[in-house]
Amino acid sequence: MTSSSGNPGGTTAITTAPPSHQTAPEAEAKTPRRLMASIAPATFSISLIWGAVPSILLALQVQQAFGEDAKVAVLALVSTFGAFAAMIAQPVAGALSDRTRSRFGKRAPWIVLGSLCGGLALIGLAFASNLVFLILAWVMVQISFNFAQAPLSAIMPDRVPRAVRGTFAAILGLGSMFGSLGGQILASSFSKNIPAAYLLLGGFAIIILTLFVVLNPDRSSTDTVVETFVVRSFAHTFWVSPVKHPDFFWAFTSRLLTYTGYFVVVGYKLYILQDYIGLGKDAIALIPVVGLVSLGGLLFSTLAAGKLSDHLGRRKPFVFVSGLVVATALFIPSVLPSVTGMLIMAGLAGFGFGCFQAVDAALISEVLPSDRSFAKDLGVVNMAVTLPQILAPAFAGLIVLTFGYALLFPVGAAISILGAISVIPVQSVK
């Protein structure tokens, strides 16, 4: 991906003011405790939606509206539209955030506005009565909450010193994974009242993200000088250039593949439990159990990995090993197609993915192409997080329709192995 700090097309770039962590070195000594404490709930509130809606609530809504025979194809179609919306929304939101001038700072207006629009979109999704409205509502949910998530992701490179980014990334990872797993548990609890779940998710996100902005005010950006926006330059950001930014390319690729492998299986677990394991309607009751088992593995690895990574000053070994652990876990149900196999997979995958999330965000923050466009670059990077979670049901649906459920597990494992290998070429981070 090329950086907007370049000068394509002969346009003269205007020098931006350096980020706050560069203009005030004395502020690097310690990340504000309030920021450390409140970033997890903020991340949790958005991840709760990604955990609850695509793989469970939306899957149930599709199943109820279109029947058993059409559910896989319809969910794949709806998910595909949502995935493309998410792919565009994150970098666009990041670029707008990087260039925003307001007395509330660059990030806050978009975080609040995105959550408000996302909450309204969830209400629309709750009452979508046909395929067209279902797609439109889900696309609006994707756009809105990605407009909140991209600026939120820029908080770490904006305001957190490198020495504690592993710890901060671990807190982010905990918020994200607790949200994802909590969303699955919440969704299963509201399986018979889907509209209420959508209302609860939207209202919670609005409250938590607004509180985050109020508790962590950013400095005014009204006097910030920003670069001239060049459409061609921005379009180039969708391409990760292995020549210009090789470390960024490989870190992005590692994240994309690891998340894809994980969510091809985990993001489709409702239908796996129903059809592959054979639980039928009883699958809903097992979702919270699977989530809690995964959470056990997640907690252990996330709490340890972030601090240990900071202490050792190393990121790559953690990312590499965690990718292999995830791959091993995802393969288990193919040889043990039972509830036991799913529970073993959940615990081991939670352990590996928790370690990955705890360290990968810190690694990414250290290979960004430009210090002038954190939110835009992270918006592009976050495509590697958002797309697998949203597109996984579509990709998994294609595999199931063509080859059956059994192939999901080796495919997910193989993709995760490639994700682990992809971090090896990163040179600027140990």
Side-chain angles (χ1 to χ4, degrees):
M1 292 172 189
T2 56
S3 168
S4 62
S5 62
N7 189 25
T11 304
T12 302
I14 301 174
T15 304
T16 56
S20 57
H21 69 273
Q22 291 178 319
T23 57
E26 66 278 5
E28 286 198 17
K30 186 168 68 172
T31 303
R33 291 183 179 180
R34 185 180 293 172
L35 181 62
M36 280 280 201
S38 57
I39 191 64
T43 306
F44 174 87
S45 69
I46 297 178
S47 297
L48 197 69
I49 295 166
W50 303 145
V53 180
S55 61
I56 298 180
L57 292 176
L58 192 59
L60 286 172
Q61 192 173 1
V62 166
Q63 184 175 320
Q64 292 169 10
F66 299 94
E68 289 289 335
D69 293 338
K71 68 179 184 182
V72 172
V74 172
L75 183 62
L77 179 63
V78 175
S79 299
T80 300
F81 276 99
F84 279 110
M87 181 179 69
I88 301 298
Q90 280 249 1
V92 169
L96 290 173
S97 173
D98 287 329
R99 289 167 171 78
T100 296
R101 298 187 183 101
S102 83
R103 67 187 184 92
F104 301 107
K106 296 187 292 185
R107 316 302 181 193
W110 296 105
I111 294 173
V112 174
L113 183 63
S115 66
L116 287 172
C117 293
L120 292 174
L122 279 171
I123 294 175
L125 184 62
F127 299 101
S129 57
N130 58 52
L131 181 58
V132 173
F133 286 139
L134 194 68
I135 290 173
L136 288 175
W138 181 231
V139 165
M140 287 307 302
V141 170
Q142 285 293 329
I143 291 173
S144 299
F145 280 110
N146 276 291
F147 259 75
Q149 191 167 17
L152 187 66
S153 300
I155 296 295
M156 181 158 62
D158 271 352
R159 301 165 70 175
V160 179
R162 289 193 175 205
V164 293
R165 286 186 185 176
T167 301
F168 194 84
I171 295 173
L172 279 171
L174 280 173
S176 179
M177 288 304 293
F178 265 103
S180 180
L181 296 172
Q184 296 165 24
I185 295 171
L186 182 146
S188 63
S189 302
F190 281 82
S191 61
K192 296 183 179 179
N193 194 349
I194 294 174
Y198 287 144
L199 292 172
L200 179 62
L201 289 166
F204 182 74
I206 292 170
I207 292 171
I208 296 299
L209 291 173
T210 302
L211 281 175
F212 175 83
V213 168
V214 171
L215 292 174
N216 300 281
D218 201 358
R219 61 175 185 156
S220 171
S221 62
T222 53
D223 297 327
T224 301
V225 181
V226 298
E227 291 181 342
T228 302
F229 182 81
V230 181
V231 174
R232 189 172 71 177
S233 175
F234 175 74
H236 287 170
T237 65
F238 288 91
W239 163 242
V240 184
S241 172
V243 176
K244 292 185 178 180
H245 307 293
D247 286 353
F248 188 46
F249 169 82
W250 287 113
F252 174 90
T253 301
S254 175
R255 174 179 281 202
L256 176 67
L257 292 172
T258 303
Y259 269 81
T260 299
Y262 180 81
F263 281 104
V264 159
V265 177
V266 174
Y268 213 65
K269 67 173 167 289
L270 175 62
Y271 290 172
I272 290 173
L273 289 170
Q274 286 180 335
D275 303 330
Y276 179 69
I277 303 300
L279 296 181
K281 294 181 179 180
D282 295 333
I284 291 293
L286 192 66
I287 293 291
V289 179
V290 174
L292 289 173
V293 171
S294 183
L295 186 60
L298 165 79
L299 277 174
F300 181 81
S301 63
T302 302
L303 291 172
K307 286 191 175 182
L308 186 59
S309 173
D310 282 342
H311 177 72
L312 297 176
R314 300 180 73 86
R315 314 289 192 203
K316 287 168 57 177
F318 291 90
V319 174
F320 177 76
V321 172
S322 62
L324 296 183
V325 171
V326 169
T328 301
L330 297 180
F331 191 72
I332 289 173
S334 65
V335 295
L336 191 60
S338 64
V339 171
T340 300
M342 290 294 290
L343 292 176
I344 294 173
M345 182 201 77
L348 191 59
F351 179 87
F353 205 67
C355 177
F356 180 85
Q357 289 226 96
V359 181
D360 180 66
L363 186 150
I364 287 284
S365 74
E366 295 174 16
V367 297
L368 295 177
S370 172
D371 61 7
R372 302 175 180 181
S373 54
F374 284 149
K376 182 269 296 175
D377 291 334
L378 282 169
V380 174
V381 168
N382 281 339
M383 288 163 52
V385 176
T386 306
L387 279 179
Q389 295 186 61
I390 308 308
L391 194 56
F395 183 38
L398 180 62
I399 294 174
V400 170
L401 287 171
T402 307
F403 303 104
Y405 285 94
L407 195 64
L408 279 179
F409 309 104
V411 167
I415 295 172
S416 295
I417 290 172
L418 292 175
I421 295 172
S422 296
V423 79
I424 295 175
V426 174
Q427 298 295 318
S428 61
V429 180
K430 292 182 179 179

